Amino acid sequence: MKIAVLPGDGIGPEIVAQALEVTKAVCKKFGHVLTYQEALVGACAIDAVGDPYPAETHALCMESDAVLFGAIGSPKYDNDPSAKVRPEQGLLAMRKKLGLYANIRPVTTFPSLLHKSPLRSDLVEGADFMCIRELTGGIYFGRPQGRSEDGTTAYDTCVYTVEEIERIVRLAYDYAMKRKKKLTIVDKANVLCTSRLWRQVSQQLEKEYPEVATEYMFVDNAAMQIIQWPKRFDVMVTENMFGDILTDEASVITGSLGMLPSASIGIHTSVFEPIHGSYPQAAGKDIANPLATILSAALMFEYAFDLKAEGKLIREAVDASMAAKVVTEDIAESGKAYKTSEVGQWIVDYINKQ
Ligand code: IPM
Ligand code: MN
């Protein structure tokens, strides 16, 4: 197993360090030979070499079997809209160059966290769905993008091709077939031309999957229903920006944004990353929740290496840490909160003991 480790910015290095220790412990337990190498991405890469996704980082990703990714972003750039190079461009370039067109974001609940959700426990308990977000198209990548010469007008362009829509919706149907055979296709076809193309392509594919119950839902309605009745969803597929927004929203079902992992898959090496950002206010304080990244490592074993027992052991260790209340401040009860590194170490010890 050769892994590229990309900690990135903010809390990235701290949470990735814990996920890496967990990965090492699992490899030791199951006798897998692990090699890994770190590389720069994001604001730290701009500072070091002037490029948020340097060619060496891309080369390392390409020759690795999986990428473990932390987070990118920095207030230095967030507060400077005129910055020519932005850290996020590194993440977008990585997604595009690795062909990561599908971002899989499982939304599940944890019994010990139910009270942390702002939603009523009876509404969220047992919620378990998967959001499949298209990741290399739409308004994030469409051109033209820019400003008029006098600076008084700005524009972004949302673009989708039949091919792009077909491959992601097909992938969603394949997941639906493996789960409850229910697929929600989220769009804004009452307004957007790209959404109407999504619907047209999806209606064609629907015929190939007669066993799957397909429903079409406008994104505004989906935003409401995720909160109102999260258990109604099983597999959901949507375009890039809708998926970005809906999955942050969905994280409140879990109880903390610090809990949701993701897998980005596509043409080249897959990337495993938490859905949350770089949380700069917490950087270097050893307080950030490492569980989303540790759970992303679980997805890495399962998706990149087809090692199910390994992923399961990580999940079990994460559940045990929560049951033992060894958790960071975002999900701690009024009592003691543990440090990022303490939570990671507890999980490593748990794995070693099995
Ligand atoms: C995410 C993040 C990124 C996105 C940002 C950092 C560019 O919010 O992975 O969800 O918008 O895709
Ligand atoms: Mn996001």
Side-chain angles (χ1 to χ4, degrees), residues 10-29:
I11 57 168
E14 298 157 57
I15 52 176
V16 164
Q18 299 314 316
L20 186 57
E21 288 310 312
V22 169
T23 301
K24 285 186 204 164
V26 170
C27 284
K28 200 169 132 214
K29 166 121 295 183

Side-chain angles (χ1 to χ4, degrees), residues 96-161:
K96 196 70 169 180
K97 287 190 177 169
L98 294 177
L100 304 173
Y101 61 83
N103 183 219
I104 298 173
R105 299 187 160 183
V107 180
T108 48
T109 54
F110 300 87
S112 57
L113 269 190
L114 285 177
H115 65 286
K116 277 278 160 188
S117 173
L119 301 176
R120 267 193 353 246
S121 297
D122 62 303
L123 284 178
V124 293
E125 189 172 13
D128 176 2
F129 65 92
M130 179 177 262
C131 182
I132 299 178
R133 168 187 176 193
E134 200 290 326
L135 203 58
T136 52
I139 201 163
Y140 273 52
F141 292 94
R143 295 293 178 265
Q145 178 190 61
R147 291 232 195 154
S148 62
E149 259 172 42
D150 66 2
T152 59
T153 308
Y155 42 88
D156 297 286
T157 310
C158 187
V159 183
Y160 270 109
T161 65

Side-chain angles (χ1 to χ4, degrees), residues 55-73:
E56 306 84 78
T57 302
H58 181 59
L60 175 69
C61 291
M62 288 294 285
E63 66 184 41
S64 299
D65 301 312
V67 178
L68 189 59
F69 188 94
I72 60 167

Side-chain angles (χ1 to χ4, degrees), residues 95 105 133 140 243-245 247-248 257 275-277:
R95 289 172 178 169
R105 299 187 160 183
R133 168 187 176 193
Y140 273 52
D244 178 47
I245 297 169
T247 49
D248 262 34
L257 188 54
I275 83 152
H276 60 70

Side-chain angles (χ1 to χ4, degrees), residues 33-272:
V33 180
L34 172 75
T35 58
Y36 61 93
Q37 199 177 322
E38 275 196 26
L40 292 171
V41 71
C44 60
I46 301 178
D47 294 343
V49 298
D51 180 348
Y53 186 55
E56 306 84 78
T57 302
H58 181 59
L60 175 69
C61 291
M62 288 294 285
E63 66 184 41
S64 299
D65 301 312
V67 178
L68 189 59
F69 188 94
I72 60 167
S74 150
K76 186 166 124 191
Y77 297 92
D78 291 344
N79 299 328
D80 177 10
S82 68
K84 288 273 174 307
V85 203
R86 304 186 52 79
E88 289 76 9
Q89 286 166 351
L91 183 56
L92 300 189
M94 182 181 77
R95 289 172 178 169
K96 196 70 169 180
K97 287 190 177 169
L98 294 177
L100 304 173
Y101 61 83
N103 183 219
I104 298 173
R105 299 187 160 183
V107 180
T108 48
T109 54
F110 300 87
S112 57
L113 269 190
L114 285 177
H115 65 286
K116 277 278 160 188
S117 173
L119 301 176
R120 267 193 353 246
S121 297
D122 62 303
L123 284 178
V124 293
E125 189 172 13
D128 176 2
F129 65 92
M130 179 177 262
C131 182
I132 299 178
R133 168 187 176 193
E134 200 290 326
L135 203 58
T136 52
I139 201 163
Y140 273 52
F141 292 94
R143 295 293 178 265
Q145 178 190 61
R147 291 232 195 154
S148 62
E149 259 172 42
D150 66 2
T152 59
T153 308
Y155 42 88
D156 297 286
T157 310
C158 187
V159 183
Y160 270 109
T161 65
V162 168
E163 192 195 345
E164 284 172 324
I165 300 166
E166 200 180 313
R167 68 181 174 187
I168 189 79
V169 176
R170 194 176 282 288
L171 185 135
Y173 269 113
D174 290 338
Y175 275 95
M177 285 297 288
K178 287 188 234 150
R179 292 181 48 120
K180 292 189 187 151
K181 300 196 166 82
K182 185 177 171 201
L183 179 64
T184 308
I185 302 175
V186 176
D187 64 28
K188 188 71 185 171
N190 51 345
V191 177
L192 302 176
C193 194
T194 41
S195 281
R196 286 192 284 273
L197 188 60
W198 269 74
R199 221 171 251 220
Q200 184 189 316
V201 172
S202 301
Q203 281 166 348
Q204 283 304 317
L205 285 176
E206 195 184 331
K207 296 181 193 144
E208 290 181 37
Y209 296 86
E211 282 174 65
V212 177
T214 303
E215 69 173 344
Y216 296 89
M217 193 180 278
F218 294 142
V219 63
D220 46 352
N221 184 16
M224 180 194 70
Q225 300 227 26
I226 282 175
I227 294 298
Q228 198 177 42
W229 186 15
K231 279 183 262 193
R232 75 185 298 298
F233 294 108
D234 192 57
V235 178
M236 174 191 290
V237 63
T238 190
E239 67 96 56
N240 201 345
M241 191 163 74
F242 296 162
D244 178 47
I245 297 169
L246 292 179
T247 49
D248 262 34
E249 188 198 9
S251 74
V252 307
I253 295 167
T254 306
S256 170
L257 188 54
M259 296 297 302
L260 283 201
S262 86
S264 300
I265 60 179
I267 297 164
H268 302 291
T269 319
S270 299
V271 174
F272 300 87

